Amino acid sequence: AQKVTQAQTEISVVEKEDVTLDCVYETRDTTYYLFWYKQPPSGELVFLIRRNSFDEQNEISGRYSWNFQKSTSSFNFTITASQVVDSAVYFCALSEAFTGGYNKLIFGAGTRLAVHP
Amino acid sequence: ETGVTQTPRHLVMGMTNKKSLKCEQHLGHNAMYWYKQSAKKPLELMFVYSLEERVENNSVPSRFSPECPNSSHLFLHLHTLQPEDSALYLCASSQGPNNEQFFGPGTRLTVL
């Protein structure tokens, strides 16, 4: 069965610190997709990244970076030099390759990040 | 309007009321979703429509009734709700299989 575990319920850091949000997943498929979303206090989930299971290259986008390790079934997210605007709940999600016309996402419980000035 | 919009943003209703939540996507996507997000619970997928046909219904009580009149609009009709139905209801859309979903801002529902 598919499962996503975000063991860190809440993280609190001071501005400019680096912070890593952990995501561990379970799946029996060899083809699958991993996602990260950000949910600021306004409520809307904002898409951050999509990664397929055949692409293990790490990705960097500005202050954000993602480390995908199939050997440990992890897809961790690091924010470098955190800012107050990074305060939000972050969700990791998984979907198995699917031939239907839509996407079945399994979400983790989320990690609440608080960045203090 | 761009992206995914939802109205109303906030709704307070009594247990005997009937109301509807509306979602509209301006992205040309062919799938739309309703999620429920309660405090202390993970995101729960309620319904999925693909090409205007309901393809997923995850054991949602019949007091929630979805409607998808076309590929751009999705409704969630509510009647005789319970206080435990108070939550943030999120709509999302996507294009094709395995692609990211784009979410609306949600409707914060309170049932008295």
Side-chain angles (χ1 to χ4, degrees), chain A residues 33 35 37 39 42-47 50 89 91 95-105 107-109, chain B residues 9 30-31 33 35 37 42-43 48-50 55-56 88 90 94-105:
Chain A
Y33 299 82
F35 304 80
Y37 284 86
Q39 187 177 36
S42 59
E44 178 176 350
L45 269 78
V46 178
F47 165 72
R50 168 183 177 267
V89 181
F91 292 93
S95 69
E96 293 178 341
F98 183 62
T99 56
Y102 58 101
N103 193 356
K104 298 171 71 171
L105 287 176
F107 283 89
Chain B
R9 294 294 308 277
N30 59 11
Y33 311 75
Y35 287 87
Q37 187 178 31
L43 276 159
V48 181
Y49 277 82
S50 176
V55 292
E56 296 267 346
L88 180 68
L90 290 159
S94 70
Q95 177 64 29
N98 310 311
N99 290 321
E100 57 273 19
Q101 294 176 20
F102 290 88
F103 284 79

Side-chain angles (χ1 to χ4, degrees), chain B residues 24-91:
Chain B
E24 185 173 0
Q25 59 97 359
H26 308 267
L27 301 167
H29 290 166
N30 59 11
M32 296 186 77
Y33 311 75
W34 279 117
Y35 287 87
K36 176 183 179 182
Q37 187 178 31
S38 310
K40 302 180 183 178
K41 275 191 171 184
L43 276 159
E44 301 173 68
L45 178 64
M46 300 175 73
F47 302 103
V48 181
Y49 277 82
S50 176
L51 298 173
E52 300 160 41
E53 179 185 342
R54 191 190 311 179
V55 292
E56 296 267 346
N57 178 348
N58 291 332
S59 304
V60 179
S62 59
R63 57 185 184 269
F64 295 91
S65 174
E67 178 190 2
C68 186
N70 55 61
S71 60
S72 299
H73 293 86
L74 185 64
F75 294 90
L76 188 62
H77 304 299
L78 318 170
H79 63 98
T80 58
L81 294 191
Q82 305 297 312
E84 60 264 28
D85 297 322
S86 299
L88 180 68
Y89 288 84
L90 290 159
C91 174

Side-chain angles (χ1 to χ4, degrees), chain A:
Chain A
Q2 302 174 72
K3 186 179 177 182
V4 176
T5 302
Q6 295 180 256
Q8 303 151 307
T9 306
E10 294 189 32
I11 300 176
S12 182
V13 299
V14 176
E15 217 170 10
K16 298 184 183 175
E17 280 185 39
D18 298 347
V19 57
T20 296
L21 310 180
D22 297 333
C23 174
V24 174
Y25 61 91
E26 293 176 31
T27 178
R28 288 176 292 188
D29 268 18
T30 55
T31 303
Y32 52 90
Y33 299 82
L34 295 163
F35 304 80
W36 274 95
Y37 284 86
K38 172 183 180 181
Q39 187 177 36
S42 59
E44 178 176 350
L45 269 78
V46 178
F47 165 72
L48 296 178
I49 189 171
R50 168 183 177 267
R51 175 55 54 89
N52 74 57
S53 53
F54 298 107
D55 182 2
E56 284 195 74
Q57 281 196 348
N58 291 333
E59 179 144 347
I60 298 175
S61 176
R63 297 184 297 107
Y64 294 171
S65 62
W66 290 270
N67 184 354
F68 178 29
Q69 302 242 346
K70 284 180 81 168
S71 60
T72 56
S73 297
S74 65
F75 186 42
N76 296 337
F77 172 33
T78 298
I79 302 174
T80 304
S82 59
Q83 299 176 3
V84 172
V85 292
D86 296 326
S87 298
V89 181
Y90 291 86
F91 292 93
C92 181
L94 162 73
S95 69
E96 293 178 341
F98 183 62
T99 56
Y102 58 101
N103 193 356
K104 298 171 71 171
L105 287 176
I106 303 299
F107 283 89
T111 297
R112 182 177 299 277
L113 174 65
V115 181
H116 303 283

